[in-house]
Amino acid sequence: MDKLKFAILGCGFWSQFQLGGWQELDGAECVALYNRTKSKADDLAKRFGVPHTYDDAGEMMKNEELDFIDIITDVDTHSKFVELAAKYRKHVICQKPMAPSFAIAKKMMQVTREAGVKFYVHENYRWQPQIRRMKEILDSGVIGKPFRCNSLWNTAFPLFETQPFLATLEQFALTDQGSHQFDVLRYLFGEAETIYTQIQTINPTIKGEDVATSMLRMKNGMVCVQQISFSSSLEKEVFPQVLLLVEGEKGSVRLDPDYNFAITSGNKTTYEKMTIRKYTWQTDRLEPEPPSIVECNNDILRDLQGIGKAETTGEDNFETVRLVWAAYESAKTGSNIEIKNFV
């Protein structure tokens, strides 16, 4: 099977990990990079051996023979580049969050549907090894039917030093991490029925909220309490890990820092520790993300090749987007939002 050729749009901080992830796979080849500041594209191209660089995305689309594009730009430009892909009838992958508003997300879905191009969102948290293992444990039935989950993503890591644009977002914690954490809950437990959220801004130097606390009632009857904080100084900094406690009718499973599991069934508790694979292109701090990027890319690639069905299609991720913006509506109105009515 011939390699699929693609281009990356956006050469900021995260692009090095996304491109590194693609180069772990045999079925795809990055042939071009776009960035509005071309020198950034040139630097990334030199590091990863990409032949062509551009500071004009339209020119790139005209000149290059592409099977798909991978958008890694700021969220405010996602829709523009998705529309560009649709214009040239190219399949398109977009980083999370899909869009800066619910209305724009709906428009992106419509544009790709009408153009007949495949649309995916690179949502990697559900592909992290410890999350996949959590799903295996739950599906094994060892703790019985789950009835409650506590999900904690709390940190004081200086994220804005490497991604300063995040401090300028009007909506932050829910769009940035809610996109991940709500998707993890959907992956583990299915769709949500209702959501109630409170948000806070603790850091005075940023525009958006940096703390969000949500309670979700899932369609299977579970209750999930989900915490996000970028302003929590804790005994141990575990950025960017999510911690989980899932309680079931026969026991519980707890995901602790550094990928340690405690699985309790009846009167017996067993312990597991996961070893996370490392890659040459990753940083020391980002441990579970690199393997999840590779697996997410591979899942999308198999769909593009026609030999599999991707998990994080635009259609699937739109349900995560719906939860994010339903959470904002809840925080704004102080009410419990029924997801089926949030359209």
Side-chain angles (χ1 to χ4, degrees):
M1 184 178 295
D2 292 338
K3 288 186 176 183
L4 299 184
K5 295 182 178 181
F6 72 97
I8 282 177
L9 285 76
C11 297
F13 175 74
W14 197 255
S15 61
Q16 61 186 313
F17 309 120
Q18 188 73 355
L19 184 50
W22 280 118
Q23 292 194 343
E24 297 293 329
L25 305 175
D26 293 331
E29 177 185 4
C30 184
V31 298
L33 301 174
Y34 156 81
N35 198 73
R36 60 188 178 190
T37 304
K38 190 171 180 291
S39 60
K40 285 189 175 182
D42 293 339
D43 291 344
L44 193 67
K46 183 178 180 181
R47 179 181 169 190
F48 286 94
V50 179
H52 304 131
T53 60
Y54 296 85
D55 58 8
D56 185 320
E59 181 183 358
M60 182 185 71
M61 298 297 288
K62 291 177 184 177
N63 292 347
E64 301 291 338
E65 292 291 330
L66 302 172
D67 295 294
F68 67 95
I69 66 170
D70 190 354
I71 300 169
I72 320 175
T73 57
D74 294 350
V75 65
D76 287 343
T77 64
H78 286 182
S79 61
K80 176 177 73 172
F81 292 128
V82 165
E83 289 176 14
L84 183 66
K87 175 183 176 181
Y88 284 90
R89 299 296 192 269
K90 304 299 181 185
H91 304 307
V92 56
I93 306 167
C94 184
Q95 280 290 311
K96 55 62 60 181
M98 182 193 294
S101 73
F102 191 50
I104 292 175
K106 287 190 282 188
K107 181 181 178 183
M108 291 163 69
M109 294 292 295
Q110 180 181 355
V111 165
T112 52
R113 191 181 302 116
E114 290 177 352
V117 300
K118 292 185 176 182
F119 180 34
Y120 311 90
V121 175
H122 191 277
E123 174 46 70
N124 64 64
Y125 255 68
R126 67 163 62 192
W127 286 100
Q128 291 185 7
Q130 74 278 19
I131 302 302
R132 305 307 276 199
R133 178 59 183 146
M134 174 64 82
K135 178 69 168 171
E136 290 176 355
I137 293 168
L138 295 174
D139 288 350
S140 75
V142 67
I143 71 164
K145 182 180 178 181
F147 62 84
R148 184 167 64 182
C149 172
N150 283 307
S151 165
L152 299 94
W153 194 93
N154 297 321
T155 184
F157 184 76
L159 187 69
F160 306 111
E161 292 180 6
T162 56
Q163 300 180 78
F165 75 93
L166 294 175
T168 69
L169 298 177
E170 297 288 345
Q171 290 95 13
F172 171 48
L174 285 169
T175 56
D176 184 77
Q177 272 303 316
S179 299
H180 284 316
Q181 306 313 326
F182 293 159
D183 193 74
V184 166
L185 295 179
R186 290 184 57 240
Y187 168 66
L188 293 176
F189 307 119
E191 302 301 337
E193 191 169 81
T194 64
I195 189 168
Y196 175 79
T197 299
Q198 291 284 293
I199 60 176
Q200 300 163 271
T201 301
I202 306 302
N203 185 340
T205 68
I206 70 171
K207 285 189 176 180
E209 82 287 353
D210 54 359
V211 176
T213 307
S214 301
M215 180 179 290
L216 298 87
R217 179 84 177 189
M218 312 305 282
K219 287 185 176 180
N220 65 5
M222 281 190 68
V223 173
C224 298
V225 180
Q226 207 296 306
Q227 299 180 29
I228 297 167
S229 173
F230 290 84
S231 292
S232 293
S233 297
L234 304 174
E235 179 183 8
K236 180 174 181 177
E237 178 58 73
V238 296
F239 175 87
Q241 299 175 42
V242 57
L243 309 181
L244 295 165
L245 171 63
V246 183
E247 299 162 271
E249 294 174 345
K250 298 180 182 178
S252 65
V253 55
R254 194 178 70 237
L255 173 59
D256 290 334
D258 301 326
Y259 325 110
N260 289 292
F261 285 89
I263 307 162
T264 300
S265 183
N267 295 321
K268 182 181 179 181
T269 299
T270 58
Y271 300 93
E272 294 182 11
K273 180 176 176 59
M274 296 199 68
T275 300
I276 306 296
R277 179 179 175 181
K278 293 186 179 296
Y279 297 87
T280 58
W281 40 267
Q282 73 178 82
T283 63
D284 290 338
R285 173 61 71 171
L286 296 179
E287 290 184 325
E289 283 84 355
S292 73
I293 291 169
V294 175
E295 291 302 319
C296 185
N297 285 354
N298 187 55
D299 185 59
I300 292 171
L301 178 60
R302 286 173 55 82
D303 192 293
L304 287 166
Q305 293 170 325
I307 58 176
K309 180 173 175 54
E311 289 187 21
T312 59
T313 60
E315 184 176 77
D316 179 87
N317 191 259
F318 186 74
E319 296 309 314
T320 298
V321 173
R322 191 191 307 275
L323 276 178
V324 168
W325 293 99
Y328 278 119
E329 182 67 15
S330 173
K332 178 182 177 181
T333 61
S335 59
N336 199 38
I337 302 297
E338 290 193 22
I339 304 305
K340 68 179 181 180
N341 295 331
F342 191 79
V343 294

